[in-house]
Amino acid sequence: MKKLTEKAAKENKLSKNEIIELLINENPFLFKLADKIRKQTKGDAVHLRALIEFTNICKQNCYYCGLRCDNKNVQRYRLSIDEIIECSVKAKQAGYQTIVLQGGEDAFFDTDKICKIIKEIKKLDVALTLSIGEKSYEEYKAFKDAGADRYLLRIETTDKELYQKLHPKMNFENRIKCLYNIKLSGFETGTGCLVGLPGQTIESLAADIMFFKELDADMIGIGPFIPHPDTPLGNENKNNFDMALKVMAITRLLLPDINIPATTAMETIKPNGRIIALQSGANVIMPNLTEIKYKSKYELYPEKNNSNINGEEETIKVIKEIESIKRTVAVSKGYRHDIK
Ligand code: SAH
Ligand code: SF4
């Protein structure tokens, strides 16, 4: 395993079978090497992105997600444009260089409204990431032209059959098309997958990693699947941390210079999950700056949010974590191709 891991780090390439080997076998060296590569390519500074969850209203019905439209146990909310800007100003004042606007697919926020919000936020001299789902090429282009810098849209799984099962109102080919349209619009493009979905195979996880490489994604977020009781997948397996960490570490070997977050889902299912991820290839954290009164309602999965911790406390906590492992907080905007 050690040899294969070293080869991956040297050539930034693996066959599907080789990825499967790495996913199946016990191999602590994988995490060490992913950490070493991260240090070489990205340095020790961790980029903080301020996450604002601005609407939990969603027309989609993804089987795994607590915000799916069939879940009637959610108290729905959307922030006003003023509230979004206010929260962004706070993030900027707290030192954040990137704002991430994330939400359900909420038709209220049409192209004009999103462009207006983008223009306001860009006045703050921050990088801006959008994570608001599937749109047309024209819409992505309009967001880019309005000044947004990055776009996150996870493929979730490259297993087409599984994708169709879990996304009743969506279409796998369209998901792929959206990702290429995001790239074509000029965004730094983020994607990623869920790990541990019922019916998901090791082979398909290997194919997910191959897809990240093929797309040449700029950011990859790997989320261990966490069952939400109010969804059809509520009783499924939740021990997905270790496999998610492996997928993340292999991704670092194949795409050495991209931005990889230690995801909130990793922190949620494992104590110190974020620190472990930061030491296994990750170089980004996305602290949640959504106001407390909304935060607990953005329940993609259970116990996602420290709902009683406000943005300032969350920021302090994250910085302490970073410093506890002798890393620093980055001061640049943290594009993929920034000089470290
Ligand atoms: N609506 C947008 C953004 C919000 S969802 C979108 O779907 O792109 C953001 C991410 O949350 C999704 O990409 C999905 O991978 C993750 N997510 C949803 N439900 C989850 C669960 N039960 N466990 C772990 N991650 C989940
Ligand atoms: Fe909506 Fe995103 Fe949840 Fe799917 S994953 S239901 S698109 S918020």
Side-chain angles (χ1 to χ4, degrees), residues 58-62 64-69 103-105 133 156 167 170 175 298 300:
C58 190
K59 69 174 186 201
Q60 299 296 359
N61 211 15
C62 310
Y64 42 79
C65 179
L67 302 186
R68 65 200 304 268
C69 61
E105 293 198 16
E156 315 292 2
H167 302 93
M170 292 152 114
R175 192 79 172 176
Y298 197 85
L300 303 164

Side-chain angles (χ1 to χ4, degrees), residues 93-106:
Q93 283 166 348
Y96 286 92
Q97 305 262 16
T98 293
I99 310 276
V100 183
L101 284 187
Q102 194 187 80
E105 293 198 16
D106 178 357

Side-chain angles (χ1 to χ4, degrees), residues 7 45 61 95 101 137 187 228 271 286 301:
K7 182 182 101 122
N61 211 15
L101 284 187
Y137 172 73
F187 280 112
H228 189 299
M286 297 163 70
Y301 45 81

Side-chain angles (χ1 to χ4, degrees), residues 130-160:
L130 299 177
S131 175
I132 52 175
E134 296 187 3
K135 307 281 171 193
S136 68
Y137 172 73
E138 287 70 28
E139 287 170 292
Y140 289 136
K141 188 77 179 56
F143 300 156
K144 184 74 187 62
D145 290 346
D149 303 278
R150 311 182 182 128
Y151 204 102
L152 303 175
L153 184 78
R154 288 184 179 168
I155 186 70
E156 315 292 2
T157 174
T158 54
D159 179 336
K160 187 178 161 180

Side-chain angles (χ1 to χ4, degrees), residues 152-307:
L152 303 175
L153 184 78
R154 288 184 179 168
I155 186 70
E156 315 292 2
T157 174
T158 54
D159 179 336
K160 187 178 161 180
E161 222 171 281
L162 181 62
Y163 186 94
Q164 287 311 149
K165 260 192 216 159
L166 298 179
H167 302 93
K169 299 165 77 181
M170 292 152 114
N171 172 285
F172 181 69
E173 275 79 26
N174 189 54
R175 192 79 172 176
I176 304 255
K177 194 167 129 204
C178 282
L179 278 164
Y180 280 96
N181 282 339
I182 288 167
K183 268 206 111 170
L184 198 63
S185 305
F187 280 112
E188 275 204 323
T189 302
T191 189
C193 62
L194 285 165
V195 176
L197 291 164
Q200 191 176 37
T201 61
I202 295 281
E203 285 76 11
S204 85
L205 287 173
D208 294 352
I209 298 172
M210 307 270 288
F211 174 74
F212 304 156
K213 177 85 182 161
E214 193 183 305
L215 178 71
D216 190 26
D218 304 298
M219 307 169 279
I220 292 293
I222 308 291
F225 159 64
I226 305 174
H228 189 299
D230 296 332
T231 67
L233 307 182
N235 293 321
E236 298 292 341
N237 176 21
K238 57 176 170 189
N239 300 318
N240 301 314
F241 181 85
D242 293 348
M243 188 55 80
L245 199 70
K246 275 188 185 174
V247 172
M248 188 197 81
I250 297 169
T251 302
R252 170 61 76 202
L253 301 187
L254 298 193
L255 289 155
D257 68 344
I258 64 168
N259 284 314
I260 300 183
T263 56
T264 310
M266 286 181 169
E267 178 74 6
T268 304
I269 52 163
K270 177 109 178 171
N272 284 331
R274 213 151 42 184
I275 289 189
I276 297 169
L278 280 182
Q279 294 176 313
S280 309
N283 71 313
V284 171
I285 293 185
M286 297 163 70
N288 193 334
L289 290 225
T290 315
E291 262 191 78
I292 288 182
K293 65 175 166 179
Y294 298 122
K295 226 171 158 180
S296 59
K297 302 190 173 86
Y298 197 85
E299 204 182 55
L300 303 164
Y301 45 81
E303 284 157 59
K304 178 179 142 291
N305 293 306
N306 290 314
S307 347

